Amino acid sequence: MSTTRLSLAYMPLLDAAPMIVAQEMGFAAQEGLDLDLVAAPSWSSIRDMLVFGRVQAAHMLSPVPVATALGLGGAGSALSAASVTSINGNILGVSNELAAKLRDAGHGFDLTDADAAGRALIAAAPTPLRMGVPFPFSMHAELLYYWLSALGLPAPQGVEIKTVPPPLMADAIAAGEIDAFCVGSPWGSIAVENGVGALLLAGSAIWSFAPEKVLCVRNDWAEEEQALLGRLIRAIWRAGRWLDEPGSRGLAAEILARPEYLNLDAEILDRGLTGKLTINSAGDQREVPDFIVFHDGAANFPWRSQAEWIAVQMAARTGLDRATAARLGRATFRSDIYREAMKGTKADLPGASSKIEGGLAERTAVASDGGTLFLRRNQFFDRQIFDPKRFE
């Protein structure tokens, strides 16, 4: 097999690991690929690089292709999520001043109780609460809107969402520009290391199986380069499988820590990979099971129902018709492309391409090609259920 050079943009985050590991551990080479990994300073720059052809594929926020299909954000080209590359991995943090108010009120900072953390935050926070997120169309923003609205603090009346690139989140909270943030690891831990903030809640406490990042491509490129895209999907799938193997994450932290990638201390990266987090400058620690997932439980499958949930949330917030949004959104998570790419591999794919979101209280066996697939717990913090059939 001849080697094909392929450009892929990424944000220097922990959840860029599948793309980086695919190149560094030889999974890309197994598919005849040489990945030109292009680090970017912001999500808007990654989107623009993809749209204007500077790169062929991108490590992307899962809501971006959905927002584009709904005519939000002005991307200009139709985008597809060819696979999900990571589940969860976000952390919510607060300024030291706000953390002190929460402690004085008796909050325990266990990182896993979204109801308690939300109510404590609303009681202690200024009005409006200024929250930093990396991009307006992101799982960070969707989780915050869902969480705070469910607890009685709707946006924009009670919360002001500000866009801050992940590497600048700690600086923004230090400068007093925001009161709190939701960001991908390791940038929450950097705020702790810099002594400017404390960690409040894992994103997985709001939705236990939230599709965080996707492998994103332009629709026209996907149609023209189906075979090449399939090779890329398989390479990243194998990288995610390796990342979820016991004992892999220590080496993964060392790879990601290199100057050409995240250029950070491997120990800080290992915190997010293992879910063993230091939550404040006093060194208090908490452990969050399944803080980030790269493969297990069909994590890489682009469920159309995930895209529909995102689309319906956006529609409710922006005044769009929900049924229309659901229809447009579901088409962006390309389970058809993923299924074709995974033919001939050992991947056990689900029999359906859509499911009820929020309906699994524990690990559950489901119908699949090989009959061995177990899905992970999938619940919203308020135990609501999203049934995509409502919008058909």
Side-chain angles (χ1 to χ4, degrees), residues 118-303:
R119 295 185 187 282
L121 178 63
I122 291 170
T127 302
L129 171 63
R130 300 170 302 163
M131 295 284 305
V133 301
F135 199 65
F137 306 110
S138 62
M139 189 54 66
H140 315 82
E142 297 309 323
L143 292 176
L144 286 178
Y145 285 128
Y146 182 87
W147 176 54
L148 294 174
S149 294
L151 294 174
L153 187 67
Q157 297 92 335
V159 58
E160 180 182 352
I161 302 294
K162 295 193 169 190
T163 301
V164 181
L168 301 180
M169 200 67 75
D171 293 340
I173 206 160
E177 297 169 2
I178 53 176
D179 306 303
F181 59 78
C182 181
V183 71
S185 292
W187 297 106
S189 291
I190 295 299
V192 172
E193 287 299 297
N194 291 354
V196 299
L199 305 185
L200 175 68
L201 187 71
S204 58
I206 300 172
W207 183 8
S208 66
F209 200 79
E212 175 54 33
K213 301 299 190 307
V214 296
L215 173 64
C216 191
V217 295
R218 295 190 316 276
N219 284 7
D220 58 349
W221 188 85
E223 296 303 320
E224 295 168 4
E225 300 287 355
Q226 292 183 42
L228 182 58
L229 176 55
R231 288 155 62 186
L232 179 60
I233 290 169
R234 290 190 296 273
I236 292 174
W237 173 77
R238 291 189 176 97
R241 183 176 61 178
W242 179 84
L243 280 161
D244 272 2
E245 291 176 357
S248 292
R249 296 199 174 184
L251 177 55
E254 294 177 7
I255 293 171
L256 295 170
R258 294 175 185 171
E260 63 267 35
Y261 296 127
L262 272 64
N263 194 27
L264 293 168
D265 192 294
E267 188 276 330
I268 293 177
L269 300 178
D270 190 65
R271 297 179 196 177
L273 288 169
T274 61
K276 298 176 181 177
L277 302 171
T278 300
I279 67 167
N280 55 38
S281 55
D284 294 332
Q285 296 186 326
R286 302 288 187 271
E287 184 168 358
V288 180
D290 303 328
F291 179 73
I292 189 167
V293 179
F294 295 106
H295 174 79
D296 185 59
N300 306 120
F301 190 80
W303 294 93

Side-chain angles (χ1 to χ4, degrees), residues 55-77:
V55 296
Q56 287 83 52
H59 163 236
M60 183 61 78
L61 299 154
S62 60
V64 167
V66 178
T68 300
L70 270 55
L72 303 172
S77 294

Side-chain angles (χ1 to χ4, degrees), residues 33-104:
L33 297 176
D34 179 21
L35 300 183
D36 175 19
L37 297 171
V38 182
S42 68
W43 289 111
S44 58
S45 62
I46 289 182
R47 180 199 61 195
D48 293 346
M49 281 192 283
L50 182 63
V51 167
F52 293 111
R54 165 67 177 83
V55 296
Q56 287 83 52
H59 163 236
M60 183 61 78
L61 299 154
S62 60
V64 167
V66 178
T68 300
L70 270 55
L72 303 172
S77 294
L79 303 175
S80 288
S83 69
V84 175
T85 58
S86 62
I87 298 292
N88 304 332
N90 289 329
I91 193 72
L92 286 77
V94 296
S95 68
N96 287 334
E97 179 183 1
L98 195 45
K101 290 181 180 179
L102 290 164
R103 283 194 299 271
D104 291 344

